[in-house]
Amino acid sequence: MAQTTPYIAPTLPELIKQYQALTTGVINFELYNQMVHTHHSTAIEGSTLTLLETQTLLEKGLTAGGKPLEHHLMAVDNQAAQQLVLDWATQHEPLNRDRLQAIAAAVMRQTGGPTNTLLGTFDSSLGQFRTVSAMAASRMFLDAKKVPAAVDTLLKEMNTLLPAVKTVRQVYDLFRYIFNWSVFIPLVTATGAPLGC
């Protein structure tokens, strides 16, 4: 009777190397991924730009006729924030509260601004944490006063876990971990809606 060798899943670096070997010269995946990410992220926030209009704006600087200026600004800012994150990732820079707020400020640079409430003022274009309660449908998110400490805890744990990530399963587990933390919603979006981490 023949003995079978158990399957050993490839590590994340091995998968990336295989993918790069198969796709080199076929498509600029990095640029395509950035365009798709920007398009979908801004569409979630209400942008009416199509993927092609987003691509034309970001590659050629041409706006789409008949579309709101705010939707174009959202795409430009999202792309800039994404590049900021990619630059830090390339340099293996750890994420901290200042960097998280710098990302939020980049996303909201041209579409955010001050919000005045009974509990104080915060400016989303500066990446400041919300000072008001956040709610979606009937779900209430973490109290605003608890947000800074919760952000610091998440970032500390994430920066501890991230260096150990080597397999696709570990990437998935880390994503689930971060997603589960997103319930505290520290920031707001261009529409004033809560923005998770």
Side-chain angles (χ1 to χ4, degrees):
M1 183 178 240
Q3 194 173 20
T4 59
T5 305
Y7 173 75
I8 298 174
T11 64
L12 185 57
E14 291 169 341
L15 286 173
I16 291 170
K17 188 175 181 179
Q18 290 173 9
Y19 176 81
Q20 288 171 335
L22 292 171
T23 60
T24 299
V26 177
I27 186 171
N28 184 341
F29 176 74
E30 190 172 314
L31 180 61
Y32 177 75
N33 187 46
Q34 289 176 21
M35 294 295 166
V36 169
H37 180 271
T38 294
H39 168 70
H40 288 291
S41 293
T42 56
I44 289 169
E45 294 303 320
S47 174
T48 58
L49 297 181
T50 66
L51 178 57
L52 181 58
E53 289 167 339
T54 301
Q55 182 178 359
T56 301
L57 172 67
L58 298 176
E59 288 182 346
K60 299 178 181 174
L62 301 174
T63 58
K67 299 289 176 98
L69 176 61
E70 181 181 26
H71 297 182
H72 293 85
L73 298 175
M74 287 168 62
V76 170
D77 288 350
N78 186 286
Q79 180 72 10
Q82 190 177 159
Q83 191 57 55
L84 184 64
V85 171
L86 291 171
D87 290 345
W88 287 336
T90 301
Q91 299 165 14
H92 302 284
E93 295 288 340
L95 195 55
N96 57 37
R97 188 193 303 188
D98 290 339
R99 288 203 170 119
L100 178 65
Q101 290 181 288
I103 295 164
V107 168
M108 301 297 294
R109 189 175 72 82
Q110 299 179 88
T111 56
T115 300
N116 299 305
T117 73
L118 292 173
L119 299 175
T121 300
F122 65 95
D123 190 333
S124 58
S125 68
L126 299 177
Q128 295 175 343
F129 293 140
R130 63 180 170 80
T131 58
V132 296
S133 297
M135 213 174 152
S138 63
R139 184 175 182 182
M140 190 74 150
F141 296 106
L142 185 68
D143 182 81
K145 291 180 219 127
K146 297 178 181 178
V147 164
V151 167
D152 291 341
T153 300
L154 168 64
L155 295 173
K156 181 180 178 186
E157 291 176 12
M158 191 176 77
N159 285 325
T160 300
L161 295 171
L162 192 57
V165 173
K166 303 256 186 290
T167 66
V168 173
R169 177 61 195 207
Q170 289 171 322
V171 170
Y172 171 77
D173 289 343
L174 181 62
F175 174 79
R176 279 190 54 201
Y177 175 78
I178 294 167
F179 178 78
N180 288 337
W181 264 94
S182 70
V183 298
F184 63 82
I185 314 293
L187 306 159
V188 296
T189 65
T191 61
L195 172 69
C197 281

